[in-house]
Amino acid sequence: MEMEDQMESQKRSGISKETLISERTGSLGCFGWLIVIIVGIFTIVLFPFTIWFCLKIVQEYERAVIFRLGRITDRKAKGPGIFFILPCTDSFVKVDLRTVSFDIPPQEILTKDSVTVSVDGVVYFRVNDPIASVANVANSDFATRLLAQTTLRNVLGTKNLAEVLSDREGIAHSMQTNLDEATDNWGIKVERVEIKDVKLPHQLQRAMAAEAEAAREARAKVIAAEGEMNASRALKEASLVIAESPSALQLRYLQTLNTIAAEKNSTIIFPLPMDVISHFMRK
């Protein structure tokens, strides 16, 4: 919370990252330059011995922020490769520029519709400005981790349960935008944010499963009713066709007998034509 308040106060006062750095790269003063000149003379005089203290190397993925008498010497970090410093007056801090990933611990969050869920995620970030990451924040990695947790809570607190379950990409993009904006003064670039898992309470899971099962049963009943309605319409049309041609009914009888005989049944029911039965009934 203290870091967020500091960021908000900096935004309100209009303090930019460049202004914060320029305040730390001021002049050394007359006395400071005198000390630097004296140290430089001793370094040149004792050059064969001081070369081992002046020569430094940083890797391709690293940069060095040099402090001279407690002040940053240049607005640009040194490296990669070989660089020189003055002994006694200069010190440097190595900054790793490689992308770092970390897991956001599961956060118990109350959604907009008053449902408690446990959400975790992963964040990928890298140092974009080595000088700002050293001069503007004590520990940029730790500060980014804490800010990611609070940002996850703040973003998900404005969403309901349906949005949390269905709009993970939108939530991740919103988190990335907020984190990138908040960590800009720290020299951090947030490259990607992903929501890993959303855990629901067991009672809510059972309720949602029962609701889904009831919805499936309702859809199945509707589909069965529509099938029966279509079948009754087809039978009605078939009866009209058979009524126009009595011989069609006899062909239907023969087709039914053929189907029964193919199933190898021991009993065969032979239907008689209705006109023959009606002749005996009149007698």
Side-chain angles (χ1 to χ4, degrees):
M1 295 300 294
E2 294 179 357
M3 290 183 296
E4 293 181 358
D5 296 339
Q6 182 181 2
M7 292 296 299
E8 292 295 333
S9 62
Q10 290 176 1
K11 291 179 182 179
R12 288 193 295 267
S13 59
I15 299 176
S16 62
K17 178 175 62 177
E18 290 76 9
T19 304
L20 294 173
I21 295 174
S22 63
E23 291 177 355
R24 297 173 171 85
T25 57
S27 177
L28 297 176
C30 296
F31 185 71
W33 280 113
L34 179 61
I35 295 176
V36 171
I37 292 172
I38 294 173
V39 172
I41 293 173
F42 275 100
T43 302
I44 295 173
V45 172
L46 303 175
F47 181 74
F49 302 98
T50 57
I51 185 63
W52 307 108
F53 300 96
C54 297
L55 186 63
K56 302 296 179 180
I57 301 174
V58 293
Q59 303 296 332
E60 179 68 29
Y61 52 84
E62 294 177 333
R63 297 295 183 271
V65 180
I66 300 177
F67 292 88
R68 179 165 295 163
L69 296 178
R71 289 186 174 272
I72 298 175
T73 59
D74 196 357
R75 295 184 177 223
K76 184 178 180 181
K78 301 297 183 181
I82 302 174
F83 65 95
F84 295 89
I85 63 173
L86 292 176
C88 301
T89 60
D90 292 358
S91 62
F92 69 96
V93 178
K94 288 184 179 181
V95 180
D96 197 330
L97 301 183
R98 292 176 293 183
T99 299
V100 179
S101 63
F102 65 89
D103 291 329
I104 302 176
Q107 303 292 314
E108 294 289 338
I109 299 169
L110 186 65
T111 61
K112 190 177 181 180
D113 50 354
S114 300
V115 178
T116 303
V117 295
S118 178
V119 184
D120 59 352
V122 60
V123 177
Y124 300 86
F125 73 95
R126 60 180 174 85
V127 176
N128 190 34
D129 189 343
I131 296 179
S133 67
V134 173
N136 294 347
V137 62
N139 190 335
S140 59
D141 181 85
F142 183 68
T144 304
R145 292 172 185 267
L146 292 182
L147 187 60
Q149 297 179 23
T150 57
T151 303
L152 178 62
R153 287 177 173 272
N154 294 336
V155 171
L156 293 182
T158 61
K159 307 288 185 180
N160 54 39
L161 181 60
E163 293 174 343
V164 172
L165 296 176
S166 62
D167 191 20
R168 294 192 179 187
E169 293 183 0
I171 294 173
H173 180 71
S174 179
M175 281 190 59
Q176 178 182 353
T177 302
N178 294 339
L179 279 175
D180 196 19
E181 181 180 357
T183 58
D184 182 61
N185 286 345
W186 300 343
I188 300 296
K189 173 64 179 176
V190 179
E191 296 181 340
R192 190 177 182 87
V193 177
E194 292 291 341
I195 303 298
K196 292 176 60 178
D197 191 16
V198 179
K199 296 181 180 179
L200 304 177
H202 295 290
Q203 294 180 353
L204 182 59
Q205 292 181 12
R206 290 194 294 267
M208 294 178 66
E211 181 182 0
E213 184 178 1
R216 288 193 297 268
E217 291 179 355
R219 287 195 298 269
K221 292 180 179 179
V222 171
I223 293 173
E226 291 178 353
E228 292 180 357
M229 181 178 63
N230 294 332
S232 61
R233 290 177 180 175
L235 289 175
K236 178 182 177 182
E237 294 177 359
S239 63
L240 295 176
V241 173
I242 292 175
E244 295 176 357
S245 178
S247 60
L249 182 61
Q250 301 297 329
L251 295 175
R252 182 59 181 166
Y253 288 159
L254 295 176
Q255 184 180 2
T256 302
L257 287 174
N258 186 21
T259 303
I260 295 174
E263 295 178 357
K264 299 180 180 180
N265 293 328
S266 58
T267 303
I268 296 178
I269 301 175
F270 183 76
L272 294 175
M274 296 298 296
D275 52 354
V276 175
I277 297 176
S278 60
H279 177 71
F280 287 104
M281 290 177 64
R282 284 196 300 269
K283 291 182 176 181

